[in-house]
């Protein structure tokens, strides 16, 4: 039986049919899976321009960018000192304060806790700011410092800094 | 004509006509009429029927709610309020549906605990158990998506927290989350697809329930003694005995659920969900639905993001392999003097986990959640596989009829059973 040349041809036909069928099915499924990714119009909401001239020292505002809250904070001298004085090796997600800002009084962060996506408290003057005087996430108790770095709690990473640029002294473009 | 040659099984010629072409009449006769049920089954065996009925009610009320619901972030909340205020009996449909979901879980939890206590998952019903856990998993997914639809604060932030669980997966996590949401955050794309899936998944559940029932009918139902049916004397027919018994159970269940629907429809609801969703403000305390809270407690008991997510999914996944973790040959805990108490403690522990899962994860509550977590996994990984080595089971009765044998009153019971049959 095994020597019969027909068997080899059948094996080949069987294998190539299965392969072609599998590739075809995968190609058919792909557009369905891909359709669940963000649509073009969602992606197009990429940038937001913000006027920051009215923000006083020590104040914060929250703006919306890609559906997420973005924190813009004009830090006080003490807050900047605090952020700079931290020993990097003590941090869970080590990052220098200077690498997280473009102008050191302006701290711009995506206000979404890196644990499970809640919005941390600390934007309003009356909010609890946590043990490190930055932000505190009420959901599962993560504490962020005055540079938005994770200091205590379950969150694995610092609050991310979105891509942004200063168009002039009073306007920034996020995204 | 050929009609004269067709077998005449039933008096009604229409039934014969159907039966000859699709033997569905005899199927129902066999599976729901003559189907032998062990005669010692107690009311815990009614919860499968109750769950099926509840599923039907959920599908029915859901279809009528969908006729008035709008799955768009700008309109979802208002359309639900319109159902509550303006749609004729809309309030009743919604309260049936929301409380029905909670009672569906109560019933299914009792059904699962019944299976665990009486060892219904053991040989030869392992696949039946796996199908059941699969139904439970589908129920959790469906309930979660349904809870997002009213688009209140708890809907929005519950969805945010749960979908963020996927971002804990290394490398592909972020991309997977975005793919699931269809946006960078929970948004209109998310609401739309959750509605589509929430509508279709119950029908998938219905299909798996069909398999679940078909599988249990192959070897017959387990019973409180956990021993096999040996003769016809051990059983009663499904109709009328079990049908009447399940009907009574359904009536009592109907009284209980109606009391909640009419007198305390928001007992199990979170007030924060009557505030429209706001992506910029997180509620001070995100509370899951109580029926998912034990797993939420496990998630928060671990101070590490990935670790918490792995244990949470693990706590559900481990249920699938329970038939192979339990090495004891004795099914029913009635005959397992030590394991019995560990199983009961497991039930209590599950409810304690659920309780702390709805409270802030700090101080004493966090400690309780951690102890509960250790017992949850300890039960499955240490107690269940090894307890039979130190446990001497109580000797099993020879047959199901022997369960009823008191000293000296053998025959009357058997005879009366025969007479009834």
């Amino acid at each position: 039986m095994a020597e019969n040349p027909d068997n080899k041809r059948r094996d080949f036909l069987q294998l190539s049919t299965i392969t072609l069928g599998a590739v075809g099915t995968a190609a058919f499924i792909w557009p369905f899976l891909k359709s669940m990714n963000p649509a073009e119009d969602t992606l197009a909401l990429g940038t937001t321009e913000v006027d920051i001239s009215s923000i006083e020292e020590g104040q914060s505002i929250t703006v919306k960018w890609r559906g997420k809250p973005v924190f813009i904070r004009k830090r006080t001298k003490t807050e900047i000192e605090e952020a700079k004085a931290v020993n990097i090796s003590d941090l869970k997600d080590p990052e220098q304060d200077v690498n997280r800002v473009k102008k050191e009084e302006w701290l711009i962060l995506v206000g979404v806790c890196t644990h499970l996506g809640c919005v941390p408290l600390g934007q309003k003057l009356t909010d609890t700011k946590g043990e490190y005087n930055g932000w505190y996430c009420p959901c599962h108790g993560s504490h962020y410092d005055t540079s938005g770095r994770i200091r205590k709690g379950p969150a694995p990473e610092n609050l991310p800094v979105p891509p942004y640029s200063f168009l002039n002294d009073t306007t920034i473009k996020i995204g | 004509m050929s009609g004269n040659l067709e077998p005449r099984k039933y008096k009604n010629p229409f039934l014969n006509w159907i039966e000859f072409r699709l033997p569905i009449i005899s199927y129902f006769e066999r599976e729901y009429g003559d189907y032998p049920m062990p005669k010692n089954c107690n009311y815990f065996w009614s919860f499968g029927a109750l769950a099926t009925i509840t599923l039907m009610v959920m599908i029915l009320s859901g279809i009528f709610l969908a006729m008035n619901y709008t799955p768009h972030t700008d309109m979802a909340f208002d359309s639900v309020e319109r159902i509550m205020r303006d749609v004729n009996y809309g309030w009743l449909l919604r309260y049936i549906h929301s409380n029905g979901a909670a009672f569906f879980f109560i019933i299914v939890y009792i059904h699962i605990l019944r299976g665990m206590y009486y060892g219904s998952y053991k040989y030869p019903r392992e696949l039946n158990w796996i199908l059941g856990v699969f139904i439970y998993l589908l129920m959790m997914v469906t309930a979660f998506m349904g809870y997002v639809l009213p688009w209140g604060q708890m809907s929005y932030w519950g969805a945010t927290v749960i979908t963020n669980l996927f971002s804990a997966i290394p490398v592909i996590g972020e991309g997977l989350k975005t793919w699931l949401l269809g946006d960078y955050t929970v948004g209109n794309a998310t609401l739309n697809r959750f509605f589509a899936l929430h509508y279709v998944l119950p029908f998938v559940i219905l299909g798996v329930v069909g398999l679940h029932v078909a599988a249990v009918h192959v070897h017959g139902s387990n019973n409180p003694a956990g021993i096999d049916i040996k003769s016809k004397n051990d059983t009663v027919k499904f109709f009328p005995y079990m049908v009447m018994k399940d009907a009574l159970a359904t009536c009592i269940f109907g009284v209980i659920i109606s009391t909640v629907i009419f007198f305390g429809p928001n007992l199990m609801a979170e007030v924060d969900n009557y505030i429209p969703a706001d992506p910029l403000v997180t509620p001070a305390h995100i509370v899951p639905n109580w029926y998912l809270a034990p797993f939420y407690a496990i998630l928060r008991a671990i101070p590490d993001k990935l670790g918490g997510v792995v244990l949470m999914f693990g706590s559900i996944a481990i249920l699938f392999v329970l038939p192979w973790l339990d090495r004891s040959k004795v099914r029913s805990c009635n005959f397992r003097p030590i394991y019995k108490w560990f199983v009961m403690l497991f039930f209590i522990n599950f409810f304690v986990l659920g309780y702390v899962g709805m409270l802030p994860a700090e101080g004493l509550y966090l400690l309780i959640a951690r102890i509960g977590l250790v017992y949850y996994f300890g039960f499955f990984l240490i107690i269940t596989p090894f307890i039979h080595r130190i446990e001497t089971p109580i000797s099993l009765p020879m047959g199901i009829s022997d369960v009823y044998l008191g000293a000296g009153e053998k025959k009357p019971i058997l005879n009366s059973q025969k007479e009834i049959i």
Side-chain angles (χ1 to χ4, degrees):
Chain A
M1 278 288 278
E3 287 96 55
N4 188 344
D6 268 3
N7 279 352
K8 265 195 171 171
R9 279 170 58 183
R10 276 189 194 174
D11 284 349
F12 173 76
L13 284 173
Q14 209 169 32
L15 204 67
S16 49
T17 310
I18 291 169
T19 310
L20 204 66
V23 171
T25 311
F28 182 71
I29 290 173
W30 177 248
F32 288 85
L33 294 180
K34 188 69 183 160
S35 79
M36 286 177 72
N37 260 333
E40 293 298 326
D41 62 335
T42 312
L43 293 170
L45 297 171
T47 59
T48 308
E49 284 183 25
V50 189
D51 176 16
I52 53 170
S53 58
S54 59
I55 307 172
E56 300 287 332
E57 204 176 271
Q59 275 187 342
S60 307
I61 62 163
T62 308
V63 295
K64 222 170 162 183
W65 171 68
R66 287 184 169 178
K68 293 178 190 176
V70 168
F71 296 166
I72 301 172
R73 183 181 192 89
K74 193 171 188 182
R75 298 192 290 183
T76 61
K77 286 272 172 325
T78 15
E79 285 172 342
I80 298 168
E81 299 294 307
E82 271 177 39
K84 281 183 163 176
V86 175
N87 184 359
I88 290 292
S89 53
D90 295 344
L91 297 176
K92 199 173 185 177
D93 181 10
E95 219 179 343
Q96 294 279 10
D97 183 58
V98 284
N99 297 332
R100 293 175 56 79
V101 292
K102 289 195 173 146
K103 295 181 180 176
E104 66 179 21
E105 69 270 31
W106 292 106
L107 178 65
I108 294 152
L109 304 165
V110 176
V112 174
C113 182
T114 55
H115 181 224
L116 294 175
C118 299
V119 178
L121 297 173
Q123 284 295 87
K124 291 185 198 141
L125 292 170
T126 49
D127 278 351
T128 162
K129 290 178 191 290
E131 288 174 26
Y132 295 89
N133 200 27
W135 287 267
Y136 169 72
C137 183
C139 292
H140 308 99
S142 291
H143 299 255
Y144 295 92
D145 68 9
T146 55
S147 187
R149 292 172 296 199
I150 178 66
R151 299 298 288 273
K152 190 183 170 190
E157 285 162 30
N158 301 333
L159 291 177
V161 178
Y164 68 93
S165 54
F166 283 88
L167 296 180
N168 52 51
D169 278 352
T170 58
T171 317
I172 57 167
K173 189 179 97 177
I174 304 167
Chain B
M1 290 275 291
S2 65
N4 296 333
L5 301 173
E6 289 177 14
R8 274 186 236 151
K9 231 175 138 183
Y10 307 100
K11 274 185 194 158
N12 186 332
F14 180 64
L15 291 187
N16 284 322
W17 191 88
I18 297 276
E19 173 71 17
F20 186 63
R21 284 151 186 85
L22 179 69
I24 194 171
I25 317 279
S26 59
Y27 172 81
F28 274 97
E29 230 176 16
R30 192 171 64 245
E31 298 298 332
Y32 299 98
D34 300 337
Y35 175 69
M37 278 291 288
K39 65 183 180 187
N40 59 336
C41 282
N42 54 33
Y43 269 103
F44 281 115
W45 266 261
S46 289
F47 283 82
L50 288 182
T52 314
I53 290 167
T54 312
L55 176 62
M56 301 297 181
V57 172
M58 291 303 286
I59 290 177
L60 197 68
S61 55
I63 289 172
F64 282 84
L65 282 171
M67 293 177 189
N68 284 295
Y69 172 75
T70 314
H72 188 282
T73 49
D74 293 340
M75 289 174 271
F77 188 88
D78 290 341
S79 75
V80 172
E81 284 309 301
R82 186 179 156 268
I83 288 171
M84 295 299 286
R85 292 153 198 241
D86 296 334
V87 175
N88 296 314
Y89 291 105
W91 58 272
L92 182 60
L93 290 175
R94 178 161 177 257
Y95 281 150
I96 287 173
H97 201 70
S98 62
N99 288 294
F103 274 94
F104 198 8
F105 276 93
I106 293 175
I107 289 166
V108 163
Y109 278 133
I110 295 173
H111 190 63
I112 294 172
L113 301 186
R114 193 286 316 271
M116 284 178 72
Y117 185 87
Y118 293 113
S120 303
Y121 51 84
K122 290 189 193 182
Y123 175 87
R125 300 184 184 86
E126 301 96 328
L127 183 59
N128 207 64
W129 171 263
I130 290 173
L131 287 167
V133 178
F134 193 55
I135 293 170
Y136 174 48
L137 196 63
L138 283 170
M139 276 175 66
M140 288 199 282
V141 174
T142 309
F144 159 69
M145 287 176 174
Y147 196 57
V148 176
L149 302 184
W151 209 243
Q153 272 290 68
M154 275 306 159
S155 301
Y156 182 88
W157 291 100
T160 300
V161 167
I162 300 298
T163 51
N164 261 291
L165 296 178
F166 292 93
S167 70
I169 302 167
V171 188
I172 59 158
E174 246 349 282
L176 180 65
K177 188 191 108 187
T178 309
W179 179 74
L180 286 170
L181 294 179
D183 202 336
Y184 299 101
T185 52
V186 176
N188 195 48
T190 320
L191 179 60
N192 241 306
R193 64 184 57 181
F194 277 19
F195 178 60
L197 293 172
H198 182 73
Y199 201 109
V200 79
L201 282 179
F203 297 97
V204 178
I205 292 177
L206 195 63
V208 185
V209 166
L211 294 176
H212 186 66
V213 174
V216 80
H217 278 219
V218 174
H219 291 281
S221 301
N222 189 26
N223 61 78
I227 52 178
D228 292 331
I229 295 168
K230 293 207 175 71
S231 76
K232 222 179 161 188
N233 278 336
D234 291 342
T235 66
V236 290
K237 285 184 176 184
F238 194 80
F239 182 84
Y241 299 99
M242 287 302 141
V243 172
M244 288 318 288
K245 193 170 178 173
D246 289 349
L248 178 59
T250 307
C251 289
I252 294 167
F253 169 65
V255 170
I256 295 169
I257 191 173
S258 303
T259 310
V260 175
I261 289 170
F262 289 103
F263 296 101
N266 285 312
L267 275 179
M268 290 178 274
E270 289 298 330
V271 284
D272 271 19
N273 222 27
Y274 284 99
I275 304 168
D278 183 349
L280 297 184
V281 181
T282 307
H285 183 203
I286 297 179
V287 191
N289 270 323
W290 66 263
Y291 41 83
L292 303 177
F295 303 104
Y296 196 58
I298 289 173
L299 169 77
R300 297 188 306 175
I302 306 294
D304 175 73
K305 184 175 171 181
L306 182 60
V309 172
V310 167
L311 280 192
M312 191 187 79
F313 285 113
S315 63
I316 300 166
I318 203 166
L319 293 171
F320 281 104
V321 293
L322 176 61
W324 292 274
L325 291 174
D326 190 345
R327 316 286 301 173
S328 171
K329 292 268 183 282
V330 180
R331 289 201 191 101
S332 172
C333 276
N334 281 353
F335 303 100
R336 301 187 66 185
I338 305 176
Y339 189 61
K340 172 191 210 163
W341 300 108
F342 282 113
V343 173
M344 288 190 192
L345 187 58
F346 178 81
F347 303 163
I348 296 165
N349 182 59
F350 190 73
F351 282 97
V352 170
L353 273 176
Y355 181 69
V356 295
M358 298 181 73
L359 295 167
E362 54 199 28
L364 184 63
Y365 301 136
L366 188 58
L367 182 69
I368 294 172
R370 285 179 178 161
I371 295 169
L373 166 73
V374 170
Y375 184 74
Y376 187 97
F377 282 97
F379 174 80
F380 283 119
L381 296 175
I382 299 167
I383 296 167
T384 303
F386 298 110
I387 193 91
H388 70 286
R389 295 189 181 187
I390 55 164
E391 184 183 54
T392 319
I394 299 167
S395 61
L396 294 171
M398 290 302 289
I400 287 173
S401 292
D402 294 0
V403 173
Y404 295 96
L405 292 183
E409 41 168 343
K410 253 184 187 174
K411 288 295 164 192
I413 293 162
L414 285 178
N415 283 341
S416 66
Q417 276 292 350
K418 264 182 190 162
E419 278 156 28
I420 292 168
I421 294 167

